[in-house]
Amino acid sequence: MSQPGRRPMVRARTDHDLRSEGGDQRRRTDRLALPPGARVWAFTFGLAILAILLEIGVVARHPSGAAPLQIPWPLIAAGFCLAELKVVDVHFRREQHSFSLSEFPAVIGLFLLSPTDYVLAVLAGSAVALAWSHQTPLKFVFNLVNFGLGATAALAVFHILATPISTPSLTDWMAAFVATLTTTVLSALTIATAISLSGGAPQFQKLPQMVQFGGLVAVANTSLALLAVSILWLDWRLLWLLVVPLATVFLAYRAYLSEREKGARLEFLYQSGRILQVSPELDSAIVALLEHARMMFRAERAEVLLYPRVTGHDALRTTTVEGLQPLAMRPTPYDPDDPIERRIRAEPHAFFFTRAPLGPDRVGLRQAMVAPLRGESGIIGSLLIGNRLTEGTAFSDDDLRLLETLANHAAIALENGQLEQSLAELSRLKEQLRYQAYHDPLTGLANRRLFLDQVNERIAVHHDGRVPVVLFIDLDDFKVVNDTLGHTAGDRLLVAVADRVRGCVRTGDLAARLGGDEFALLLEDGDDLARSVLVCRRLLEALEAPLQVDGQEVAISASIGMAAGRAAPGRADEMLRNADVAMYIAKADGKNRYAVFEPTMHAALVDRHALSAELSKSVGRGELLVYYQPIVRLDDGALYGVEALVRWRHPTRGILGPDEFIPLAQESGTILALGRWVLLESCREAAAWRTERGIDRIVLSVNLSAAQLQQVDFVADLEAILAETGFPGRDLVLELTETAMFHDTQTTIARLEALRALGIRIAIDDFGTGYSSLGYLRRFQVDILKIAREFIGSADGGSEDWAFARAMVALGQTLDLRVIAEGIEQSGQRDQLRDLGCEFGQGYLFARPGDGASIAAAFLPPAMTGAAAGRSPGGRARFAAVGRGAMDRQPRVTAGPATSTTSAP
């Protein structure tokens, strides 16, 4: 009988799958409701119920036929037991098919036994065979139930199709064939299901192969059994005539399998030799050889240990284990007292090794074959094959001889391979060092050195109609990512950007990382630069899509400068410099764009640097001015305070706005001196208004840069300014952008707490224009939100036009924050904001920024002198009414986390 899974297949797979199928299968099993063993027990119980139902509902209703010879059922049980014990196993990798003559007694029993006796014979014979093979309780019960189900199914099919009441006819013979084939299919199906339930790899895709093999053997065995039945029906004394053909068939098949096994071993040695010859590297060759050997010997573990050439050095161990990643050439301390190593030195040939105290590298080794790797210079290592995968079987003497032959071939190849590997290692190391010298270690792109070399080569082989083009790419506001998410996240972002840059170029183009957040591309294009422009647009579009970094969505953009080497391309560094100049122009024009280099750009950049140098001297020359813009209450138009705004009175260019020089001040560091001067001057002038014009309170808002806030002595310096000018800290509001708050958040929080201790209030300027997270509003304990002009709708705009402003006002009210709207230019906008609940506003509707004298004349009480100073009923009462309530609120003290990610304007 062929059993693609009946007893032998379960012996090969089921117990292994129940206990140690592997990491992936185990994780999949853990997600199910029941453990593997419980599922198989439940399945076995279901099969038993099905067998009982078949016995009661179908088999018991059919009487036994009139047989000419009554055979005791124990005799059939003994024949069934012998047939199940004497099987021929056909192995393929980890799977096992078995060939036996169990159909022979089974078919005879169908004709000569009653249904009850037939079931008893099958159960008794199989129970003895299963007990003899020492199977686990689960396997024993499952296989016994499986045999019982097969017996009842065969009886049901046989007695439905035919009832042998006389000499067996063609119908009876066909019924016997159908019965045995039914048993074969049912057995294959139940065992495939059991393996899948136990957490093993699903077997259903192998069912056709299992049924085909089993069916062929079942048909052959059934034919012989029917011949025996016919002889018994005629004269039982002629039965001995079947002994010779049965024995011949059995022995012939075993001889065929023996020859097939010899062929497989020769093929194994041939393939092993090819592996050692064609593998380019020693470590990969050893891994491939071990995997090949594991499959041949149907083993769980294979290992090569190469001994150290110098005493005291580590050995090199390569190990492959079923279901795990191979470990190649791992340094391992060499222990000559290891039990296996002692036997290798003591015995000249391969040997079997059973379980013994072993080191941690060989935990779980139950049985093994070990062969020394004996080269021309002596023993260079050992080869170990351990733990047979097919349970119930062990390594044979033939296996041991095959392993020794393999070890002898492998030793010579490995001994020569170590010398070859030394040379290959030197070559590989040389290539590795060359690669590292010309590539960026973080992104794998070309570095500046390789990029410049390639640009020079393209210039040297300049073709008519084709020009080399350099694109200089600089990420916009990349420092914000480093400051907010950390440098590790910044590195991951650079790697992601590099991947997108690669995706925008074609074969033949060169992408490089020049350093920091600067990248470059080398292209070839026509004189019209059409393709280069297309690449620039593609890059900008690719970088616009948000990136996921450490679970957070990060938006990034870039500014790109393009320089082409036309008639006289010059040197590579000149082209790169020109592209860099164009990139700076793109940044100055608003970022997230590209610019093509023109000769006039260089002059503009020189002019920009000259302006930056002049700016650093402007503070000392007294060229800076403080302008003020009023902040009013929207409900009655009363003055709330003023915002201090800096201007530069340039000697030749006239009055310059902040957009023209603040970015230069931030780049050059002049922002520190400039910012301190604005604080000092605005506090001095506001304090003078209070004294000269009899004002009790006036709120002064001053913009603060991230660089100022990070200064160690900033709080102490500001306290000195307040003391020097006499301006009270409770009336000072410091405005920070969301980006400024995220420059070293821990330092920012500490600085803000110190400022609030002085009574100073904190406002977020241009709220909503950065990358902020609303949670940081509480963590930074701000007092005022200033809505950027971008979110102020038009005077006649609909609900959607005012959606953002409405949300921000509601947010401020929810968090008990003052809300100031910027950029109000129309009375309709003021009315809309007032209806939304916004308290304060500023913009051209109320006044344009002006110097202190003009603002004071327009909005403050007239100056007073002598005893009347500070005593004017009209002036004092008027301004007190304006400021009362709005300014008396003290800085809020709140708690809770918050986030913010934005860039400074």
Side-chain angles (χ1 to χ4, degrees), residues 538-549:
R538 194 184 306 152
L539 281 168
L540 295 176
E541 291 175 1
L543 294 177
E544 280 181 356
L547 293 160
Q548 290 292 331
V549 178

Side-chain angles (χ1 to χ4, degrees), residues 451 469-473 519-523 532 535-536 539 560-563 576 579:
F451 187 80
V469 180
V470 170
L471 303 184
F472 194 106
I473 308 164
F519 296 83
L521 289 179
L522 174 60
L523 317 172
S532 300
V535 171
C536 287
L539 281 168
I560 306 174
M562 181 195 309
L576 193 60

